[in-house]
Amino acid sequence: MDETIKLLREQAVLCAHLPELLDELITVMKNNSPEVQEPIRKIEDTVRDLSANEKKTREFLTRVNAASFTEFLATQEKNIQRDVAEKLLNKAAKAQLKIKEQSEQLKILLQRGKDYVEFNLNILAHISASDTYGAAAQRDSQRSRRMFEANI
């Protein structure tokens, strides 16, 4: 049971730290700051540690013939250690939900950034607009691509 608590504590700490780092990255992205490398490096380090913890967890669960910590804890007798392990498991689950929400926010921010870059590349490349976007296409244009085409 001590090994269970140790693994769950490590997982809970890492999962609780990751939302802070993701908040930092979201703030940097919202401010259009070029300083994204440091938050990303910190996130990568934390995710690497979380992967190592996941590997240890899988090895432990294989050893005890359980599919998950929930299943393993259900087979244990009720005591203080089991309560601590359940609280740590719940804490990690809540942090993982927050991470999922933040990753959705990051996807939206990345899509907006991608759209912004595509738009500006089209402007810089003098891509003609088509009827689809309201302006008539130039008949004498040498370009075969349309404005906002994904592959420039």
Side-chain angles (χ1 to χ4, degrees):
M1 194 58 130
D2 289 337
E3 186 177 2
T4 304
I5 291 173
K6 180 183 171 193
L7 289 169
L8 286 171
R9 183 173 288 131
E10 183 181 356
Q11 183 180 11
V13 168
L14 291 170
C15 285
H17 184 58
L18 201 52
E20 297 168 7
L21 298 174
L22 290 173
D23 279 337
E24 184 180 335
L25 180 61
I26 288 169
T27 302
V28 166
M29 289 179 71
K30 282 183 178 178
N31 293 334
N32 293 323
S33 175
E35 303 297 324
V36 283
Q37 292 177 342
E38 185 62 24
I40 289 175
R41 186 193 58 76
K42 290 176 186 176
I43 291 169
E44 286 174 343
D45 291 343
T46 305
V47 169
R48 195 175 302 115
D49 293 343
L50 203 51
S51 278
N53 176 271
E54 180 65 26
K55 183 179 177 185
K56 290 181 213 172
T57 299
R58 275 187 264 120
E59 291 170 356
F60 172 76
L61 291 172
T62 302
R63 243 185 7 253
V64 296
N65 293 326
S68 66
F69 275 123
T70 306
E71 182 182 308
F72 174 70
L73 291 175
T75 63
Q76 302 300 307
E77 64 182 64
K78 282 236 180 227
N79 58 26
I80 294 174
Q81 288 182 323
R82 179 179 167 183
D83 290 341
V84 169
E86 288 174 345
K87 287 179 183 176
L88 289 170
L89 191 61
N90 288 335
K91 184 178 177 181
K94 287 178 185 176
Q96 288 171 354
L97 285 175
K98 183 166 176 135
I99 291 167
K100 185 177 179 182
E101 292 169 7
Q102 289 174 318
S103 68
E104 292 300 320
Q105 256 187 317
L106 283 168
K107 284 180 187 177
I108 291 168
L109 288 170
L110 287 171
Q111 185 61 45
R112 285 182 187 167
K114 180 180 176 252
D115 293 345
Y116 177 78
V117 169
E118 285 179 5
F119 175 80
N120 283 301
L121 285 174
N122 284 323
I123 297 296
L124 291 171
H126 303 289
I127 303 295
S128 301
S130 69
D131 292 332
T132 306
Y133 298 104
Q138 295 177 2
R139 298 198 190 281
D140 61 344
S141 175
Q142 300 296 321
R143 301 192 186 273
S144 61
R145 297 185 180 156
R146 296 181 177 195
M147 192 166 190
F148 305 112
E149 186 174 340
N151 299 323
I152 294 180

